[in-house]
Amino acid sequence: MAGGQTQGPRAPIFFLPIPLLFPLLALSVTVSPSPASFTPPDSYLLDCGAPKSVKLADGRTFRSEPQSSSFLSTDEDIRLSSSSPTTSLSPLYETARVFSSTSTYSFFISKLGLHWVRLHFFPFPSTSYNLSSAVFSVNTEDYVLLRDFSAPSPVSPVLKEYLINVDNERFYLTFEPKDASFAFLNAVEVVSAPDTLIPTAADSISERNQFSGLNNYALQVMSRVNVGGPVIPSENDTLARNWLPDSFLKPPEPVVEVAVAPGSVKYPEDGSVTPLIAPRSVYATADSMTNANVSGQMFNITWEIPAGGAGHSYLVRLHFCDIVSKSLNTLYFNVFINRMLAIPNLDLSSLTGGKLAMAYYKDFIVDGDTLVSGNISLQISPPVLNDPGQPNAILNGIEVMKLSNNAGSLDGPYSVDGSYHGDEASGLGKKKVAVAAVFGLVMCVAALAVLVVMFMRWRRQPDDWKKRHNFSSWLLLRHVGHCGRPGFMTKWSWSYWKESWPSTKKGQTGFGSQKSKSGYSTYLASSGLGVGRFFTFAELQQATSNFDEKNVIGVGGFGKVYLGVLDDGVKLAVKRGNPSSDQGVNEFHTEIEMLSKLRHRHLVSLIGCCDENKEMILVYEFMSNGPLRDHLYPFSPTLAPLSWKQRLEICIGAARGLHYLHTGAAQQGIIHRDVKTTNILLDENFVAKMADFGLSKAGPSSLDQTHVSTAVKGSFGYLDPEYFRRQQLTDKSDVYSFGVVMFEVLCARPAIIPALPRDQVNLAEWAMQCHRKGQMEKIIDPHLQVSGIAPASLKKFAEAAEKCLADAGVDRPTMGDVLWNLEYSLQLQEAWMGQAKEDEDNIQVRQLDSERVAEKDFEDIGTTADSSIVAPALFRGR
Ligand SMILES: *[C@@H]1O[C@H](CO)[C@@H](O)[C@H](O)[C@H]1NC(C)=O
Ligand SMILES: *[C@@H]1O[C@H](CO)[C@@H](O)[C@H](O)[C@H]1NC(C)=O
């Protein structure tokens, strides 16, 4: 995730390094040290079946069942309470939910990346269900977490803990009962983890080299041990982890437990170890061979940690801290993993920059083939020969995490779609090369298939297509896309890929699920600065009729944009830098540098370059469903009106693109400056992408005037009134324009209609006026009345849009807040649609219900502790 990975499976397609792009390499390897504390952007804590929210000793509040139901796709609602609650256990284990049919939780992920998924199971005694007889599976979209799982005896709770790299804005967790059984769950946590927690590469024990692409695997935490010390409960850990006491030490060697005051443990100043890696209490205790008073003997201290499961590799993290030495350079020891020498002559003094009691850790990848009777074996012992003083060896902490196997599973050889991968699943080591080769081959074949599909499809486009879609306004991509970056090969071909690949589950990509979406990106990242397609100049010359002025579809800051049609009918937006201008190569580099930082599923992307003949040409993706506005008005019989759900999804996509520009793209953020429905383009799957975004960084002070006036031209009706007054553009100006877009989507009318009565000319003013009077039905698109819109969803949406239109920028929400509200609105709509389907007669009643639920959630959420993380928007301006 940290963008530093440089290795991974390689396949011989689509990477043609362009020399001029090399400066970008430097950009992709900056890594910032992790901070000492961490506020998770996403934090979903659900106490299943609980009538009220529950606050744990560690300060975290779990939502009640009523507050959680909007995350769940099922209509059944079976809640259980323990008939004999055990007071010594966490209150999470007093209630549960039962799923008698397949049910899915869906969580909106505001920041993609590493997330904890913790599942709590406790089969407490209950009169109506025998929970310990339940057999079920738990899957995410890409990974099998549990297969045919059962929690056998009601003795102690079972915590299943995972670290999953979420690369989709929705995270699904599916509970699937086996045959006639049922599933149950006591509590679930889906919480952001710092991306720095898991590296992208680590030393491999058996292969004596780096194992890379670790971020392409789901991890299951198998054990986490505070060696030589007591339990460290979640309240003493910044990431709410539990560290357990050592139960893996192998007798009978005479091991000595040592401990110091946690306060004396130091973290290195370079940030390479922080309390996020492990709290001080972990480093403050250890097992050692001797204490300083006893002269040593030679033996290994040995731990054997059950790992289980063929076909998996393991991430083993060892924590060290020299709390035993009286002086520097007296402690040296060997570390063995599975009887192989992992660290010869470990010298903590030199690794910690000459300080005692300084935290240090080291990661290893252990191949499942090397396990010692199913266990991971750890041994530490002093070297036999060089022994100036007291031979000793210590270990402070152990973490073992299982990596998903070739089936994308953490529990057995079956993948999410049920296919069997048992034959190939046998560790990574030996099969890695073969897998990479097959992967490459599959990619080639699929790429070919994609080209064929595209060819067929483009050929079918009617000639009047261009007219219908008003090219001039939307194929103009002034500063768009991303070059020299993972996953940018071709967004379009990627979608085709996904579509054309035989698969049953959404998001499954068919070629070994651990190489799914993120793996694919990584794969491309690994091809360095590969360009999706390297166009020859002649090819582009022909595609654009030798850059005929008639083909100009726009003029950007850097050059003209042409419509290009390749021999095979594929259409492209071709942006040609002016070779005679002074701006020249430097500018081109700057732009690509900029574009390379702007990469997002919801930004229109770059698909290729040409730098022949001193030409500097960028080629962008073609968005086959054109601008959003065409689908709103004027009503065209050839385009079906969008449903409310589709409109919400489009708004969410666009908001996500903008949110990324504001927060994720550059240090100071980037202001789009021209948010409107013609700059939101739709691909063949109606995925919305922002186009035509400007390059101006949201600098602290003034703006380049010419830049600004270019950008705002022709967007009257969307303009931030505060910008007029203060001549200062901020990201809140985009929020204002987005508010106008939201009303445009709801009402299907232009932002300005000069012919209307005065109070109706400006959509922003008119819609706000109607909203305040509670007369939204007067202005919403009549098509929506027909296809159905949940009152609660409409309410949430209109409220959010109105907040965007606040007069002062400071009163407007951030795009992140807007996004949250849109997601919420979508959830309300989906819930309502589900109910409507289930019981047509009850629609009236249920509408009222869902409104009430929405209101209630609103208040309930406001009182829980984690809500500030989840729903900042709810508090703003209230
Ligand atoms: C946990 O934190 C509390 C309060 O700071 C402290 O008193 C206690 O000793 C800590 N426990 C461990 C195991 O570190
Ligand atoms: C410790 O274990 C390793 C690997 O199993 C072995 O090679 C080494 O000789 C052992 N050291 C001692 C002192 O027993």
Side-chain angles (χ1 to χ4, degrees):
M1 289 309 295
Q5 72 272 28
T6 54
Q7 297 181 47
R10 279 167 188 264
I13 60 156
F14 287 143
F15 55 96
L16 296 161
I18 293 187
L20 65 82
L21 295 178
F22 273 108
L24 293 175
L25 265 179
L27 288 168
S28 65
V29 294
T30 38
V31 175
S32 50
S34 43
S37 70
F38 177 74
T39 308
D42 300 309
S43 176
Y44 296 100
L45 308 172
L46 315 184
D47 183 6
C48 304
K52 283 210 230 107
S53 61
V54 164
K55 185 163 183 181
L56 300 189
D58 60 16
R60 299 183 303 155
T61 302
F62 280 63
R63 297 176 196 223
S64 68
E65 187 62 47
Q67 291 167 333
S68 315
S69 55
S70 71
F71 300 109
L72 199 54
S73 70
T74 180
D75 295 325
E76 64 175 27
D77 186 6
I78 310 172
R79 307 178 192 184
L80 297 184
S81 298
S82 171
S83 49
S84 56
T86 319
T87 46
S88 60
L89 289 177
S90 157
L92 294 182
Y93 302 118
E94 284 171 16
T95 58
R97 249 203 95 105
V98 165
F99 307 100
S100 65
S101 60
T102 301
S103 307
T104 301
Y105 281 101
S106 146
F107 299 101
F108 152 52
I109 300 300
S110 73
K111 184 165 185 304
L112 304 188
L114 211 54
H115 284 70
W116 300 109
V117 175
R118 298 186 178 114
L119 306 175
H120 299 260
F121 302 103
F122 182 47
F124 55 66
S126 144
T127 46
S128 39
Y129 284 86
N130 177 5
L131 294 184
S132 49
S133 73
V135 183
F136 56 97
S137 300
V138 183
N139 298 335
T140 74
E141 236 184 330
D142 299 322
Y143 299 107
V144 175
L145 303 186
L146 292 170
R147 191 179 158 90
D148 296 348
F149 166 79
S150 58
S153 70
V155 174
S156 61
V158 178
L159 169 62
K160 296 284 179 182
E161 185 173 23
Y162 306 88
L163 272 169
I164 294 176
N165 210 342
V166 180
D167 63 352
N168 206 327
E169 60 215 29
R170 286 234 170 190
F171 178 72
Y172 298 97
L173 208 51
T174 301
F175 289 76
E176 201 178 326
K178 184 184 171 82
D179 305 328
S181 188
F182 59 92
F184 78 98
L185 179 65
N186 298 75
V188 55
E189 306 173 31
V190 175
V191 181
S192 304
D195 286 331
T196 46
L197 193 60
I198 302 296
T200 55
D203 285 352
S204 163
I205 283 296
S206 39
E207 291 184 52
R208 309 232 155 266
N209 60 15
Q210 284 258 301
F211 175 93
S212 59
L214 193 47
N215 46 337
N216 299 334
Y217 297 84
L219 301 176
Q220 179 178 0
V221 179
M222 304 303 286
S223 30
R224 187 187 285 130
V225 182
N226 178 25
V227 179
V231 174
I232 300 172
S234 56
E235 53 261 45
N236 287 40
D237 183 293
T238 40
L239 300 179
R241 291 168 292 204
N242 288 297
W243 299 75
L244 300 181
D246 191 352
S247 55
F248 306 118
L249 188 64
K250 237 188 120 190
E253 308 295 1
V255 167
V256 179
E257 289 187 356
V258 284
V260 297
S264 60
V265 170
K266 297 182 276 289
Y267 289 102
E269 270 162 27
D270 65 4
S272 57
V273 192
T274 67
L276 297 185
I277 295 295
R280 281 195 164 79
S281 347
V282 170
Y283 293 107
T285 62
D287 278 354
S288 70
M289 288 177 64
T290 63
N291 57 36
N293 307 325
V294 182
S295 76
Q297 2 165 0
M298 284 301 194
F299 64 92
N300 270 315
I301 309 181
T302 303
W303 290 265
E304 284 187 357
I305 302 158
H312 293 280
S313 290
Y314 296 85
L315 172 64
V316 175
R317 175 169 292 178
L318 302 180
H319 298 270
F320 300 100
C321 182
D322 186 353
I323 53 172
V324 296
S325 297
K326 293 274 189 291
S327 59
L328 286 168
N329 305 316
T330 53
L331 179 67
Y332 302 91
F333 55 96
N334 291 327
V335 178
F336 300 89
I337 300 182
N338 291 353
R339 312 256 160 88
M340 288 173 282
L341 189 57
I343 316 177
N345 234 351
L346 177 64
D347 174 9
L348 289 173
S349 298
S350 68
L351 286 168
T352 55
K355 293 215 173 69
L356 293 175
M358 176 86 90
Y360 173 78
Y361 75 97
K362 175 89 180 145
D363 287 332
F364 297 96
I365 297 294
V366 176
D367 194 312
D369 289 350
T370 67
L371 296 185
V372 179
S373 39
N375 294 325
I376 288 177
S377 151
L378 300 175
Q379 290 170 300
I380 55 172
S381 59
V384 182
L385 290 175
N386 63 345
D387 174 19
Q390 303 277 342
N392 202 354
I394 62 163
L395 181 61
N396 304 60
I398 305 169
E399 286 177 274
V400 174
M401 296 177 219
K402 190 202 267 184
L403 272 59
S404 52
N405 61 14
N406 288 349
S409 168
L410 285 157
D411 193 5
Y414 294 91
S415 64
V416 172
D417 62 13
S419 57
Y420 179 70
H421 295 252
D423 300 333
E424 54 196 277
S426 73
L428 298 145
K430 294 165 200 159
K431 299 288 163 78
K432 206 156 76 178
V433 175
V435 167
V438 169
F439 179 55
L441 194 70
V442 167
M443 296 274 288
C444 285
V445 172
L448 250 165
V450 161
L451 286 175
V452 170
V453 170
M454 282 194 297
F455 175 68
M456 310 286 273
R457 185 156 174 154
W458 292 111
R459 247 210 335 211
R460 284 203 304 268
Q461 295 285 2
D463 284 343
D464 67 348
W465 197 91
K466 179 172 168 182
K467 272 185 233 125
R468 191 156 54 83
H469 277 314
N470 180 15
F471 264 62
S472 56
S473 66
W474 70 267
L475 254 176
L476 164 56
L477 306 163
R478 270 208 306 261
H479 308 287
V480 197
H482 43 244
C483 193
R485 121 85 192 155
F488 96 109
M489 176 177 90
T490 46
K491 288 285 172 154
W492 53 350
S493 67
W494 174 232
S495 322
Y496 273 104
W497 172 299
K498 272 168 74 171
E499 270 182 356
S500 57
W501 203 268
S503 70
T504 50
K505 295 256 180 173
K506 201 155 54 108
Q508 271 298 108
T509 48
F511 50 95
S513 36
Q514 71 207 9
K515 299 286 188 294
S516 64
K517 287 155 292 175
S518 65
Y520 180 72
S521 300
T522 314
Y523 155 71
L524 282 163
S526 72
S527 62
L529 296 167
V531 167
R533 174 150 181 203
F534 188 83
F535 292 88
T536 65
F537 183 64
E539 201 175 1
L540 292 178
Q541 230 174 350
Q542 200 189 345
T544 58
S545 318
N546 197 17
F547 297 99
D548 191 332
E549 287 297 309
K550 282 207 290 278
N551 281 357
V552 171
I553 51 177
V555 182
F558 173 72
K560 289 178 176 163
V561 184
Y562 300 80
L563 166 64
V565 185
L566 297 182
D567 277 349
D568 54 9
V570 171
K571 289 174 186 169
L572 306 161
V574 180
K575 182 159 102 173
R576 184 190 193 191
N578 184 352
S580 63
S581 90
D582 315 334
Q583 298 172 326
V585 178
N586 279 347
E587 188 104 345
F588 190 54
H589 286 184
T590 312
E591 175 152 4
I592 294 176
E593 206 169 287
M594 193 70 204
L595 298 180
S596 74
K597 291 186 215 161
L598 302 178
R599 49 191 199 243
H600 196 269
R601 177 158 181 249
H602 294 292
L603 300 180
V604 172
S605 49
L606 186 68
I607 59 168
C609 305
C610 167
D611 75 340
E612 249 177 59
N613 300 350
K614 297 194 177 147
E615 288 285 345
M616 298 166 288
I617 299 175
L618 299 173
V619 180
Y620 298 97
E621 78 178 309
F622 177 81
M623 300 285 288
S624 61
N625 270 313
L628 170 59
R629 176 178 293 180
D630 285 5
H631 297 268
L632 296 172
Y633 60 85
F635 177 67
S636 139
T638 56
L639 298 173
L642 300 168
S643 71
W644 182 236
K645 185 167 176 251
Q646 276 178 308
R647 293 183 204 204
L648 284 171
E649 282 165 351
I650 288 166
C651 287
I652 286 168
R656 202 165 280 288
L658 280 176
H659 181 53
Y660 172 74
L661 282 179
H662 290 175
T663 59
Q667 288 267 289
Q668 303 122 296
I670 291 168
I671 306 173
H672 185 294
R673 297 175 303 168
D674 202 8
V675 176
K676 53 183 175 180
T677 44
T678 43
N679 278 337
I680 298 171
L681 307 187
L682 305 177
D683 77 1
E684 68 278 11
N685 299 318
F686 287 89
V687 171
K689 303 186 184 200
M690 294 304 304
D692 208 14
F693 37 90
L695 280 178
S696 131
K697 284 184 189 177
S701 56
S702 70
L703 282 150
D704 172 351
Q705 288 303 311
T706 57
H707 228 148
V708 169
S709 58
T710 328
V712 299
K713 205 158 80 185
S715 306
F716 195 56
Y718 295 91
L719 260 187
D720 173 8
E722 193 178 49
Y723 164 65
F724 278 130
R725 289 197 301 272
R726 301 188 34 201
Q727 292 293 305
Q728 256 208 18
L729 214 45
T730 69
D731 52 0
K732 293 299 181 68
S733 308
D734 283 351
V735 173
Y736 182 91
S737 310
F738 194 78
V740 179
V741 166
M742 284 171 74
F743 276 128
E744 211 177 326
V745 164
L746 181 63
C747 308
R749 59 150 274 185
I752 298 284
I753 310 181
L756 287 181
R758 209 187 146 90
D759 58 341
Q760 302 180 22
V761 170
N762 185 319
L763 172 61
E765 286 168 17
W766 177 229
M768 286 210 289
Q769 195 182 320
C770 293
H771 184 229
R772 279 180 203 137
K773 288 185 189 157
Q775 298 175 334
M776 286 311 286
E777 71 287 349
K778 224 161 109 178
I779 58 166
I780 73 170
D781 183 358
H783 290 115
L784 291 176
Q785 310 272 27
V786 177
S787 59
I789 176 167
S793 172
L794 168 63
K795 183 161 176 281
K796 180 104 249 141
F797 184 89
E799 276 168 9
E802 180 165 0
K803 279 187 199 147
C804 292
L805 297 178
D807 230 21
V810 292
D811 296 335
R812 294 174 207 149
T814 64
M815 280 317 295
D817 300 339
V818 176
L819 200 46
W820 194 92
N821 280 288
L822 286 169
E823 280 282 350
Y824 193 64
S825 178
L826 177 61
Q827 273 176 357
L828 292 170
Q829 176 72 12
E830 283 174 343
W832 180 81
M833 282 161 60
Q835 286 164 0
K837 216 169 31 189
E838 172 201 89
D839 191 351
E840 307 263 18
D841 301 338
N842 264 347
I843 286 179
Q844 219 43 41
V845 180
R846 300 304 286 257
Q847 279 175 1
L848 286 172
D849 270 350
S850 57
E851 262 182 312
R852 234 181 279 134
V853 167
E855 291 285 355
K856 194 164 152 294
D857 270 2
F858 208 83
E859 288 151 18
D860 283 357
I861 288 171
T863 60
T864 61
D866 62 311
S867 59
S868 58
I869 300 154
V870 178
L874 296 180
F875 306 111
R876 300 275 163 89
R878 292 198 115 228

